PDB file of all heavy atoms in Angstrom:
ATOM      1  N   GLN O   1     104.137  98.599 110.230  1.00 98.00           N
ATOM      2  CA  GLN O   1     103.987  97.414 110.887  1.00 98.00           C
ATOM      3  C   GLN O   1     103.547  97.526 112.417  1.00 98.00           C
ATOM      4  O   GLN O   1     103.971  98.516 113.017  1.00 98.00           O
ATOM      5  CB  GLN O   1     105.355  96.507 111.016  1.00 98.00           C
ATOM      6  CG  GLN O   1     105.889  96.080 109.682  1.00 98.00           C
ATOM      7  CD  GLN O   1     106.998  95.193 109.954  1.00 98.00           C
ATOM      8  OE1 GLN O   1     106.936  93.978 110.186  1.00 98.00           O
ATOM      9  NE2 GLN O   1     108.207  95.766 109.776  1.00 98.00           N
ATOM     10  N   ALA O   2     102.704  96.776 112.818  1.00 98.00           N
ATOM     11  CA  ALA O   2     102.136  96.909 114.295  1.00 98.00           C
ATOM     12  C   ALA O   2     102.534  95.723 115.083  1.00 98.00           C
ATOM     13  O   ALA O   2     102.696  94.521 114.712  1.00 98.00           O
ATOM     14  CB  ALA O   2     100.674  97.026 114.285  1.00 98.00           C
ATOM     15  N   VAL O   3     102.893  96.029 116.332  1.00 98.00           N
ATOM     16  CA  VAL O   3     103.164  95.050 117.389  1.00 98.00           C
ATOM     17  C   VAL O   3     102.216  95.195 118.438  1.00 98.00           C
ATOM     18  O   VAL O   3     101.999  96.398 119.014  1.00 98.00           O
ATOM     19  CB  VAL O   3     104.644  95.102 117.868  1.00 98.00           C
ATOM     20  CG1 VAL O   3     104.834  94.219 119.086  1.00 98.00           C
ATOM     21  CG2 VAL O   3     105.507  94.784 116.800  1.00 98.00           C
ATOM     22  N   VAL O   4     101.512  94.257 118.912  1.00 98.00           N
ATOM     23  CA  VAL O   4     100.386  94.337 119.881  1.00 98.00           C
ATOM     24  C   VAL O   4     100.363  93.283 120.905  1.00 98.00           C
ATOM     25  O   VAL O   4     100.458  92.172 120.734  1.00 98.00           O
ATOM     26  CB  VAL O   4      98.964  94.252 119.162  1.00 98.00           C
ATOM     27  CG1 VAL O   4      97.894  94.425 120.076  1.00 98.00           C
ATOM     28  CG2 VAL O   4      98.837  95.270 117.915  1.00 98.00           C
ATOM     29  N   TRP O   5     100.245  93.693 122.167  1.00 98.00           N
ATOM     30  CA  TRP O   5     100.212  92.807 123.346  1.00 98.00           C
ATOM     31  C   TRP O   5      98.670  92.424 123.439  1.00 98.00           C
ATOM     32  O   TRP O   5      97.825  93.202 123.684  1.00 98.00           O
ATOM     33  CB  TRP O   5     100.574  93.550 124.592  1.00 98.00           C
ATOM     34  CG  TRP O   5     100.483  92.685 125.839  1.00 98.00           C
ATOM     35  CD1 TRP O   5      99.555  92.664 126.794  1.00 98.00           C
ATOM     36  CD2 TRP O   5     101.286  91.719 126.277  1.00 98.00           C
ATOM     37  NE1 TRP O   5      99.761  91.946 127.789  1.00 98.00           N
ATOM     38  CE2 TRP O   5     100.799  91.098 127.550  1.00 98.00           C
ATOM     39  CE3 TRP O   5     102.306  90.951 125.729  1.00 98.00           C
ATOM     40  CZ2 TRP O   5     101.311  90.070 128.129  1.00 98.00           C
ATOM     41  CZ3 TRP O   5     102.987  89.923 126.375  1.00 98.00           C
ATOM     42  CH2 TRP O   5     102.507  89.421 127.593  1.00 98.00           C
ATOM     43  N   VAL O   6      98.436  91.098 123.291  1.00 98.00           N
ATOM     44  CA  VAL O   6      97.070  90.610 123.037  1.00 98.00           C
ATOM     45  C   VAL O   6      96.522  89.927 124.327  1.00 98.00           C
ATOM     46  O   VAL O   6      95.411  89.439 124.278  1.00 98.00           O
ATOM     47  CB  VAL O   6      96.798  89.792 121.911  1.00 98.00           C
ATOM     48  CG1 VAL O   6      97.003  90.527 120.633  1.00 98.00           C
ATOM     49  CG2 VAL O   6      97.773  88.631 121.995  1.00 98.00           C
ATOM     50  N   ASP O   7      97.299  90.048 125.398  1.00 97.00           N
ATOM     51  CA  ASP O   7      96.654  89.612 126.744  1.00 97.00           C
ATOM     52  C   ASP O   7      95.756  90.614 127.165  1.00 97.00           C
ATOM     53  O   ASP O   7      94.822  90.405 128.140  1.00 97.00           O
ATOM     54  CB  ASP O   7      97.757  89.345 127.755  1.00 97.00           C
ATOM     55  CG  ASP O   7      98.419  87.897 127.664  1.00 97.00           C
ATOM     56  OD1 ASP O   7      98.431  87.424 126.533  1.00 97.00           O
ATOM     57  OD2 ASP O   7      98.991  87.361 128.598  1.00 97.00           O
ATOM     58  N   ASP O   8      95.880  91.813 126.668  1.00 93.00           N
ATOM     59  CA  ASP O   8      94.956  93.006 127.029  1.00 93.00           C
ATOM     60  C   ASP O   8      93.854  92.865 125.935  1.00 93.00           C
ATOM     61  O   ASP O   8      93.975  92.832 124.870  1.00 93.00           O
ATOM     62  CB  ASP O   8      95.652  94.264 126.839  1.00 93.00           C
ATOM     63  CG  ASP O   8      94.825  95.461 127.301  1.00 93.00           C
ATOM     64  OD1 ASP O   8      93.872  95.799 126.588  1.00 93.00           O
ATOM     65  OD2 ASP O   8      95.147  96.201 128.296  1.00 93.00           O
ATOM     66  N   GLU O   9      92.565  92.957 126.441  1.00 95.00           N
ATOM     67  CA  GLU O   9      91.362  92.767 125.650  1.00 95.00           C
ATOM     68  C   GLU O   9      91.333  93.992 124.609  1.00 95.00           C
ATOM     69  O   GLU O   9      90.767  93.726 123.427  1.00 95.00           O
ATOM     70  CB  GLU O   9      90.090  92.668 126.428  1.00 95.00           C
ATOM     71  CG  GLU O   9      89.829  93.886 127.233  1.00 95.00           C
ATOM     72  CD  GLU O   9      88.406  93.789 127.991  1.00 95.00           C
ATOM     73  OE1 GLU O   9      87.741  92.675 127.796  1.00 95.00           O
ATOM     74  OE2 GLU O   9      88.053  94.758 128.684  1.00 95.00           O
ATOM     75  N   ARG O  10      91.853  95.040 124.905  1.00 95.00           N
ATOM     76  CA  ARG O  10      91.790  96.227 123.969  1.00 95.00           C
ATOM     77  C   ARG O  10      92.866  95.889 122.914  1.00 95.00           C
ATOM     78  O   ARG O  10      92.725  96.329 121.678  1.00 95.00           O
ATOM     79  CB  ARG O  10      92.091  97.465 124.764  1.00 95.00           C
ATOM     80  CG  ARG O  10      90.910  97.875 125.776  1.00 95.00           C
ATOM     81  CD  ARG O  10      89.735  98.321 124.960  1.00 95.00           C
ATOM     82  NE  ARG O  10      88.781  98.942 126.016  1.00 95.00           N
ATOM     83  CZ  ARG O  10      87.756  99.779 125.624  1.00 95.00           C
ATOM     84  NH1 ARG O  10      87.639  99.854 124.182  1.00 95.00           N
ATOM     85  NH2 ARG O  10      87.084 100.222 126.421  1.00 95.00           N
ATOM     86  N   GLY O  11      93.968  95.224 123.332  1.00 97.00           N
ATOM     87  CA  GLY O  11      94.988  94.789 122.359  1.00 97.00           C
ATOM     88  C   GLY O  11      94.403  93.834 121.365  1.00 97.00           C
ATOM     89  O   GLY O  11      94.714  94.023 120.027  1.00 97.00           O
ATOM     90  N   VAL O  12      93.510  92.930 121.782  1.00 97.00           N
ATOM     91  CA  VAL O  12      92.850  92.031 120.824  1.00 97.00           C
ATOM     92  C   VAL O  12      92.036  92.871 119.675  1.00 97.00           C
ATOM     93  O   VAL O  12      92.042  92.537 118.522  1.00 97.00           O
ATOM     94  CB  VAL O  12      91.949  90.980 121.555  1.00 97.00           C
ATOM     95  CG1 VAL O  12      91.128  90.228 120.648  1.00 97.00           C
ATOM     96  CG2 VAL O  12      92.822  90.204 122.463  1.00 97.00           C
ATOM     97  N   GLU O  13      91.453  93.888 120.172  1.00 97.00           N
ATOM     98  CA  GLU O  13      90.730  94.716 119.373  1.00 97.00           C
ATOM     99  C   GLU O  13      91.514  95.479 118.293  1.00 97.00           C
ATOM    100  O   GLU O  13      91.206  95.586 117.229  1.00 97.00           O
ATOM    101  CB  GLU O  13      89.818  95.726 120.187  1.00 97.00           C
ATOM    102  CG  GLU O  13      89.004  96.661 119.403  1.00 97.00           C
ATOM    103  CD  GLU O  13      87.986  96.052 118.327  1.00 97.00           C
ATOM    104  OE1 GLU O  13      87.750  94.869 118.355  1.00 97.00           O
ATOM    105  OE2 GLU O  13      87.634  96.874 117.361  1.00 97.00           O
ATOM    106  N   VAL O  14      92.658  95.959 118.824  1.00 98.00           N
ATOM    107  CA  VAL O  14      93.531  96.687 118.024  1.00 98.00           C
ATOM    108  C   VAL O  14      94.057  95.776 117.010  1.00 98.00           C
ATOM    109  O   VAL O  14      94.205  96.157 115.734  1.00 98.00           O
ATOM    110  CB  VAL O  14      94.704  97.339 118.820  1.00 98.00           C
ATOM    111  CG1 VAL O  14      95.798  97.692 117.895  1.00 98.00           C
ATOM    112  CG2 VAL O  14      94.187  98.404 119.738  1.00 98.00           C
ATOM    113  N   ALA O  15      94.537  94.560 117.364  1.00 98.00           N
ATOM    114  CA  ALA O  15      95.014  93.605 116.359  1.00 98.00           C
ATOM    115  C   ALA O  15      93.892  93.290 115.347  1.00 98.00           C
ATOM    116  O   ALA O  15      94.157  93.194 114.079  1.00 98.00           O
ATOM    117  CB  ALA O  15      95.461  92.296 117.052  1.00 98.00           C
ATOM    118  N   ARG O  16      92.682  93.072 115.714  1.00 98.00           N
ATOM    119  CA  ARG O  16      91.552  92.860 114.784  1.00 98.00           C
ATOM    120  C   ARG O  16      91.532  93.908 113.714  1.00 98.00           C
ATOM    121  O   ARG O  16      91.257  93.589 112.570  1.00 98.00           O
ATOM    122  CB  ARG O  16      90.259  92.587 115.536  1.00 98.00           C
ATOM    123  CG  ARG O  16      89.186  92.236 114.682  1.00 98.00           C
ATOM    124  CD  ARG O  16      87.755  92.282 115.424  1.00 98.00           C
ATOM    125  NE  ARG O  16      87.381  93.583 115.677  1.00 98.00           N
ATOM    126  CZ  ARG O  16      86.888  94.525 114.799  1.00 98.00           C
ATOM    127  NH1 ARG O  16      86.707  94.046 113.578  1.00 98.00           N
ATOM    128  NH2 ARG O  16      86.612  95.660 115.084  1.00 98.00           N
ATOM    129  N   ARG O  17      91.534  95.168 114.334  1.00 97.00           N
ATOM    130  CA  ARG O  17      91.422  96.401 113.417  1.00 97.00           C
ATOM    131  C   ARG O  17      92.527  96.382 112.374  1.00 97.00           C
ATOM    132  O   ARG O  17      92.445  96.782 111.159  1.00 97.00           O
ATOM    133  CB  ARG O  17      91.345  97.663 114.156  1.00 97.00           C
ATOM    134  CG  ARG O  17      89.998  97.680 114.897  1.00 97.00           C
ATOM    135  CD  ARG O  17      89.974  99.044 115.664  1.00 97.00           C
ATOM    136  NE  ARG O  17      88.820  99.143 116.638  1.00 97.00           N
ATOM    137  CZ  ARG O  17      88.350 100.265 117.183  1.00 97.00           C
ATOM    138  NH1 ARG O  17      89.109 101.421 116.977  1.00 97.00           N
ATOM    139  NH2 ARG O  17      87.426 100.309 118.049  1.00 97.00           N
ATOM    140  N   CYS O  18      93.810  96.105 112.933  1.00 98.00           N
ATOM    141  CA  CYS O  18      94.899  96.041 112.006  1.00 98.00           C
ATOM    142  C   CYS O  18      94.845  95.186 110.903  1.00 98.00           C
ATOM    143  O   CYS O  18      95.060  95.445 109.716  1.00 98.00           O
ATOM    144  CB  CYS O  18      96.212  95.709 112.763  1.00 98.00           C
ATOM    145  SG  CYS O  18      96.772  97.015 113.926  1.00 98.00           S
ATOM    146  N   ARG O  19      94.248  93.949 111.240  1.00 98.00           N
ATOM    147  CA  ARG O  19      94.099  92.927 110.020  1.00 98.00           C
ATOM    148  C   ARG O  19      93.040  93.361 109.062  1.00 98.00           C
ATOM    149  O   ARG O  19      93.133  93.240 107.882  1.00 98.00           O
ATOM    150  CB  ARG O  19      93.646  91.661 110.599  1.00 98.00           C
ATOM    151  CG  ARG O  19      94.755  90.988 111.550  1.00 98.00           C
ATOM    152  CD  ARG O  19      94.327  89.608 111.998  1.00 98.00           C
ATOM    153  NE  ARG O  19      95.246  89.029 112.969  1.00 98.00           N
ATOM    154  CZ  ARG O  19      95.179  89.048 114.293  1.00 98.00           C
ATOM    155  NH1 ARG O  19      94.045  89.580 114.932  1.00 98.00           N
ATOM    156  NH2 ARG O  19      96.114  88.540 115.087  1.00 98.00           N
ATOM    157  N   GLY O  20      91.983  94.040 109.656  1.00 97.00           N
ATOM    158  CA  GLY O  20      90.914  94.667 108.809  1.00 97.00           C
ATOM    159  C   GLY O  20      91.429  95.714 107.825  1.00 97.00           C
ATOM    160  O   GLY O  20      90.999  95.794 106.702  1.00 97.00           O
ATOM    161  N   HIS O  21      92.468  96.474 108.299  1.00 96.00           N
ATOM    162  CA  HIS O  21      93.073  97.461 107.431  1.00 96.00           C
ATOM    163  C   HIS O  21      94.080  96.936 106.554  1.00 96.00           C
ATOM    164  O   HIS O  21      94.622  97.654 105.619  1.00 96.00           O
ATOM    165  CB  HIS O  21      93.876  98.487 108.330  1.00 96.00           C
ATOM    166  CG  HIS O  21      92.917  99.300 109.175  1.00 96.00           C
ATOM    167  ND1 HIS O  21      91.674  99.790 108.872  1.00 96.00           N
ATOM    168  CD2 HIS O  21      93.072  99.765 110.515  1.00 96.00           C
ATOM    169  CE1 HIS O  21      91.226 100.562 109.751  1.00 96.00           C
ATOM    170  NE2 HIS O  21      92.017 100.421 110.805  1.00 96.00           N
ATOM    171  N   GLY O  22      94.431  95.669 106.510  1.00 97.00           N
ATOM    172  CA  GLY O  22      95.607  95.042 105.811  1.00 97.00           C
ATOM    173  C   GLY O  22      96.872  95.468 106.290  1.00 97.00           C
ATOM    174  O   GLY O  22      97.829  95.338 105.581  1.00 97.00           O
ATOM    175  N   LEU O  23      96.955  95.896 107.561  1.00 98.00           N
ATOM    176  CA  LEU O  23      98.233  96.302 108.146  1.00 98.00           C
ATOM    177  C   LEU O  23      98.970  95.169 108.873  1.00 98.00           C
ATOM    178  O   LEU O  23      98.295  94.418 109.596  1.00 98.00           O
ATOM    179  CB  LEU O  23      97.932  97.360 109.281  1.00 98.00           C
ATOM    180  CG  LEU O  23      99.066  97.946 110.100  1.00 98.00           C
ATOM    181  CD1 LEU O  23     100.061  98.722 109.131  1.00 98.00           C
ATOM    182  CD2 LEU O  23      98.587  98.934 111.216  1.00 98.00           C
ATOM    183  N   PRO O  24     100.217  94.827 108.466  1.00 98.00           N
ATOM    184  CA  PRO O  24     100.907  93.751 109.019  1.00 98.00           C
ATOM    185  C   PRO O  24     100.918  93.910 110.694  1.00 98.00           C
ATOM    186  O   PRO O  24     101.308  94.838 111.187  1.00 98.00           O
ATOM    187  CB  PRO O  24     102.283  93.802 108.402  1.00 98.00           C
ATOM    188  CG  PRO O  24     102.116  94.538 107.303  1.00 98.00           C
ATOM    189  CD  PRO O  24     101.034  95.566 107.432  1.00 98.00           C
ATOM    190  N   VAL O  25     100.525  92.764 111.249  1.00 98.00           N
ATOM    191  CA  VAL O  25     100.437  92.926 112.907  1.00 98.00           C
ATOM    192  C   VAL O  25     101.038  91.609 113.391  1.00 98.00           C
ATOM    193  O   VAL O  25     100.897  90.519 112.910  1.00 98.00           O
ATOM    194  CB  VAL O  25      99.028  93.141 113.381  1.00 98.00           C
ATOM    195  CG1 VAL O  25      98.044  91.994 112.817  1.00 98.00           C
ATOM    196  CG2 VAL O  25      98.821  93.092 114.897  1.00 98.00           C
ATOM    197  N   HIS O  26     101.887  91.878 114.460  1.00 98.00           N
ATOM    198  CA  HIS O  26     102.555  90.877 115.092  1.00 98.00           C
ATOM    199  C   HIS O  26     102.246  90.879 116.458  1.00 98.00           C
ATOM    200  O   HIS O  26     102.431  91.840 117.286  1.00 98.00           O
ATOM    201  CB  HIS O  26     104.075  90.925 114.861  1.00 98.00           C
ATOM    202  CG  HIS O  26     104.520  91.399 113.578  1.00 98.00           C
ATOM    203  ND1 HIS O  26     104.752  90.461 112.595  1.00 98.00           N
ATOM    204  CD2 HIS O  26     104.705  92.622 112.918  1.00 98.00           C
ATOM    205  CE1 HIS O  26     105.016  90.918 111.431  1.00 98.00           C
ATOM    206  NE2 HIS O  26     105.084  92.357 111.647  1.00 98.00           N
ATOM    207  N   THR O  27     101.459  89.821 116.970  1.00 98.00           N
ATOM    208  CA  THR O  27     100.949  89.818 118.382  1.00 98.00           C
ATOM    209  C   THR O  27     101.894  89.153 119.324  1.00 98.00           C
ATOM    210  O   THR O  27     102.649  88.310 119.011  1.00 98.00           O
ATOM    211  CB  THR O  27      99.634  88.963 118.302  1.00 98.00           C
ATOM    212  OG1 THR O  27      99.749  87.628 117.882  1.00 98.00           O
ATOM    213  CG2 THR O  27      98.594  89.698 117.416  1.00 98.00           C
ATOM    214  N   VAL O  28     101.883  89.720 120.468  1.00 98.00           N
ATOM    215  CA  VAL O  28     102.722  89.114 121.711  1.00 98.00           C
ATOM    216  C   VAL O  28     101.850  88.915 122.857  1.00 98.00           C
ATOM    217  O   VAL O  28     100.843  89.736 123.165  1.00 98.00           O
ATOM    218  CB  VAL O  28     103.746  90.313 122.102  1.00 98.00           C
ATOM    219  CG1 VAL O  28     104.781  89.686 123.062  1.00 98.00           C
ATOM    220  CG2 VAL O  28     104.503  90.686 120.829  1.00 98.00           C
ATOM    221  N   GLY O  29     101.995  87.844 123.583  1.00 98.00           N
ATOM    222  CA  GLY O  29     101.161  87.425 124.618  1.00 98.00           C
ATOM    223  C   GLY O  29     101.612  86.235 125.259  1.00 98.00           C
ATOM    224  O   GLY O  29     102.721  85.726 125.009  1.00 98.00           O
ATOM    225  N   THR O  30     100.796  85.665 126.087  1.00 98.00           N
ATOM    226  CA  THR O  30     101.133  84.443 126.883  1.00 98.00           C
ATOM    227  C   THR O  30     100.335  83.210 126.424  1.00 98.00           C
ATOM    228  O   THR O  30     100.568  82.067 126.843  1.00 98.00           O
ATOM    229  CB  THR O  30     100.819  84.563 128.328  1.00 98.00           C
ATOM    230  OG1 THR O  30      99.491  84.877 128.662  1.00 98.00           O
ATOM    231  CG2 THR O  30     101.660  85.715 129.020  1.00 98.00           C
ATOM    232  N   THR O  31      99.402  83.387 125.488  1.00 95.00           N
ATOM    233  CA  THR O  31      98.593  82.269 124.925  1.00 95.00           C
ATOM    234  C   THR O  31      99.182  81.760 123.670  1.00 95.00           C
ATOM    235  O   THR O  31     100.001  82.515 122.888  1.00 95.00           O
ATOM    236  CB  THR O  31      97.201  82.688 124.764  1.00 95.00           C
ATOM    237  OG1 THR O  31      97.135  83.633 123.691  1.00 95.00           O
ATOM    238  CG2 THR O  31      96.563  83.268 126.073  1.00 95.00           C
ATOM    239  N   ARG O  32      98.769  80.536 123.279  1.00 92.00           N
ATOM    240  CA  ARG O  32      99.262  79.971 122.127  1.00 92.00           C
ATOM    241  C   ARG O  32      98.804  80.658 120.805  1.00 92.00           C
ATOM    242  O   ARG O  32      99.435  80.433 119.673  1.00 92.00           O
ATOM    243  CB  ARG O  32      98.764  78.462 121.907  1.00 92.00           C
ATOM    244  CG  ARG O  32      99.527  77.659 123.049  1.00 92.00           C
ATOM    245  CD  ARG O  32      99.197  76.230 122.906  1.00 92.00           C
ATOM    246  NE  ARG O  32      99.949  75.389 123.845  1.00 92.00           N
ATOM    247  CZ  ARG O  32     101.237  75.060 123.807  1.00 92.00           C
ATOM    248  NH1 ARG O  32     102.012  75.430 122.769  1.00 92.00           N
ATOM    249  NH2 ARG O  32     101.814  74.341 124.712  1.00 92.00           N
ATOM    250  N   ASP O  33      97.772  81.552 120.974  1.00 93.00           N
ATOM    251  CA  ASP O  33      97.194  82.212 119.784  1.00 93.00           C
ATOM    252  C   ASP O  33      98.217  83.456 119.527  1.00 93.00           C
ATOM    253  O   ASP O  33      98.179  83.912 118.365  1.00 93.00           O
ATOM    254  CB  ASP O  33      95.816  82.918 120.194  1.00 93.00           C
ATOM    255  CG  ASP O  33      94.768  81.815 120.312  1.00 93.00           C
ATOM    256  OD1 ASP O  33      95.011  80.734 119.629  1.00 93.00           O
ATOM    257  OD2 ASP O  33      93.801  82.029 120.991  1.00 93.00           O
ATOM    258  N   ALA O  34      99.146  83.858 120.406  1.00 98.00           N
ATOM    259  CA  ALA O  34      99.966  84.906 120.049  1.00 98.00           C
ATOM    260  C   ALA O  34     101.092  84.513 119.156  1.00 98.00           C
ATOM    261  O   ALA O  34     101.727  83.397 119.307  1.00 98.00           O
ATOM    262  CB  ALA O  34     100.597  85.518 121.370  1.00 98.00           C
ATOM    263  N   ASP O  35     101.578  85.265 118.163  1.00 96.00           N
ATOM    264  CA  ASP O  35     102.731  84.985 117.283  1.00 96.00           C
ATOM    265  C   ASP O  35     103.932  84.912 118.074  1.00 96.00           C
ATOM    266  O   ASP O  35     104.743  84.083 117.851  1.00 96.00           O
ATOM    267  CB  ASP O  35     102.857  86.141 116.299  1.00 96.00           C
ATOM    268  CG  ASP O  35     101.571  86.350 115.554  1.00 96.00           C
ATOM    269  OD1 ASP O  35     100.815  85.445 115.286  1.00 96.00           O
ATOM    270  OD2 ASP O  35     101.304  87.443 115.210  1.00 96.00           O
ATOM    271  N   HIS O  36     104.102  85.681 119.152  1.00 98.00           N
ATOM    272  CA  HIS O  36     105.263  85.692 119.982  1.00 98.00           C
ATOM    273  C   HIS O  36     104.816  85.429 121.450  1.00 98.00           C
ATOM    274  O   HIS O  36     104.107  86.276 121.970  1.00 98.00           O
ATOM    275  CB  HIS O  36     106.072  87.022 119.910  1.00 98.00           C
ATOM    276  CG  HIS O  36     106.465  87.429 118.544  1.00 98.00           C
ATOM    277  ND1 HIS O  36     105.615  87.717 117.495  1.00 98.00           N
ATOM    278  CD2 HIS O  36     107.806  87.566 118.102  1.00 98.00           C
ATOM    279  CE1 HIS O  36     106.325  87.967 116.375  1.00 98.00           C
ATOM    280  NE2 HIS O  36     107.620  87.868 116.683  1.00 98.00           N
ATOM    281  N   ARG O  37     105.291  84.339 121.966  1.00 98.00           N
ATOM    282  CA  ARG O  37     104.611  83.943 123.307  1.00 98.00           C
ATOM    283  C   ARG O  37     105.688  84.007 124.307  1.00 98.00           C
ATOM    284  O   ARG O  37     106.699  83.393 124.193  1.00 98.00           O
ATOM    285  CB  ARG O  37     104.224  82.450 123.193  1.00 98.00           C
ATOM    286  CG  ARG O  37     103.520  81.884 124.373  1.00 98.00           C
ATOM    287  CD  ARG O  37     102.618  80.791 124.055  1.00 98.00           C
ATOM    288  NE  ARG O  37     103.443  79.545 123.721  1.00 98.00           N
ATOM    289  CZ  ARG O  37     103.888  78.718 124.572  1.00 98.00           C
ATOM    290  NH1 ARG O  37     103.739  78.783 125.778  1.00 98.00           N
ATOM    291  NH2 ARG O  37     104.642  77.702 124.050  1.00 98.00           N
ATOM    292  N   LEU O  38     105.316  84.809 125.328  1.00 98.00           N
ATOM    293  CA  LEU O  38     106.253  85.023 126.443  1.00 98.00           C
ATOM    294  C   LEU O  38     105.831  83.920 127.740  1.00 98.00           C
ATOM    295  O   LEU O  38     104.689  83.976 128.026  1.00 98.00           O
ATOM    296  CB  LEU O  38     106.025  86.541 126.975  1.00 98.00           C
ATOM    297  CG  LEU O  38     106.890  86.972 128.076  1.00 98.00           C
ATOM    298  CD1 LEU O  38     108.310  86.954 127.729  1.00 98.00           C
ATOM    299  CD2 LEU O  38     106.493  88.468 128.505  1.00 98.00           C
ATOM    300  N   SER O  39     106.904  83.420 128.166  1.00 98.00           N
ATOM    301  CA  SER O  39     106.741  82.421 129.249  1.00 98.00           C
ATOM    302  C   SER O  39     107.902  82.211 130.073  1.00 98.00           C
ATOM    303  O   SER O  39     108.878  82.915 129.837  1.00 98.00           O
ATOM    304  CB  SER O  39     106.283  80.975 128.629  1.00 98.00           C
ATOM    305  OG  SER O  39     107.449  80.550 127.876  1.00 98.00           O
ATOM    306  N   ALA O  40     107.748  81.363 131.191  1.00 97.00           N
ATOM    307  CA  ALA O  40     108.787  81.005 131.957  1.00 97.00           C
ATOM    308  C   ALA O  40     109.480  82.134 132.668  1.00 97.00           C
ATOM    309  O   ALA O  40     110.692  82.114 132.906  1.00 97.00           O
ATOM    310  CB  ALA O  40     109.859  80.247 131.244  1.00 97.00           C
ATOM    311  N   PHE O  41     108.730  83.094 133.018  1.00 97.00           N
ATOM    312  CA  PHE O  41     109.238  84.390 133.767  1.00 97.00           C
ATOM    313  C   PHE O  41     109.584  83.878 135.197  1.00 97.00           C
ATOM    314  O   PHE O  41     109.026  83.125 135.861  1.00 97.00           O
ATOM    315  CB  PHE O  41     108.189  85.372 133.955  1.00 97.00           C
ATOM    316  CG  PHE O  41     108.658  86.542 134.807  1.00 97.00           C
ATOM    317  CD1 PHE O  41     109.625  87.390 134.302  1.00 97.00           C
ATOM    318  CD2 PHE O  41     108.054  86.700 136.060  1.00 97.00           C
ATOM    319  CE1 PHE O  41     110.050  88.486 135.315  1.00 97.00           C
ATOM    320  CE2 PHE O  41     108.578  87.714 136.956  1.00 97.00           C
ATOM    321  CZ  PHE O  41     109.542  88.681 136.503  1.00 97.00           C
ATOM    322  N   GLU O  42     110.875  84.364 135.678  1.00 96.00           N
ATOM    323  CA  GLU O  42     111.313  84.237 136.937  1.00 96.00           C
ATOM    324  C   GLU O  42     112.068  85.372 137.411  1.00 96.00           C
ATOM    325  O   GLU O  42     112.812  85.888 136.671  1.00 96.00           O
ATOM    326  CB  GLU O  42     112.062  82.952 137.138  1.00 96.00           C
ATOM    327  CG  GLU O  42     113.338  82.844 136.290  1.00 96.00           C
ATOM    328  CD  GLU O  42     114.223  81.545 136.549  1.00 96.00           C
ATOM    329  OE1 GLU O  42     114.206  81.130 137.621  1.00 96.00           O
ATOM    330  OE2 GLU O  42     114.768  81.126 135.532  1.00 96.00           O
TER     331      GLU O  42
END
């Protein structure tokens, strides 16, 4: 299984490749496109 930070453009590419390989990928980031969304930092 892969976990990828997709606020980094290279992370977006890694996640794309994982999907292409059929590898389960779980994305983390600040946008709504991320599976796991980080917000409200203080």
Side-chain angles (χ1 to χ4, degrees):
Q1 299 186 78
V3 173
V4 180
W5 178 254
V6 290
D7 279 21
D8 185 292
E9 64 179 357
R10 296 291 193 157
V12 174
E13 173 62 16
V14 169
R16 186 191 68 77
R17 294 186 188 187
C18 288
R19 295 186 187 100
H21 294 318
L23 178 65
V25 57
H26 313 279
T27 59
V28 187
T30 61
T31 68
R32 293 191 179 277
D33 294 335
D35 304 323
H36 299 69
R37 188 161 62 91
L38 185 61
S39 63
F41 172 74
E42 58 178 330

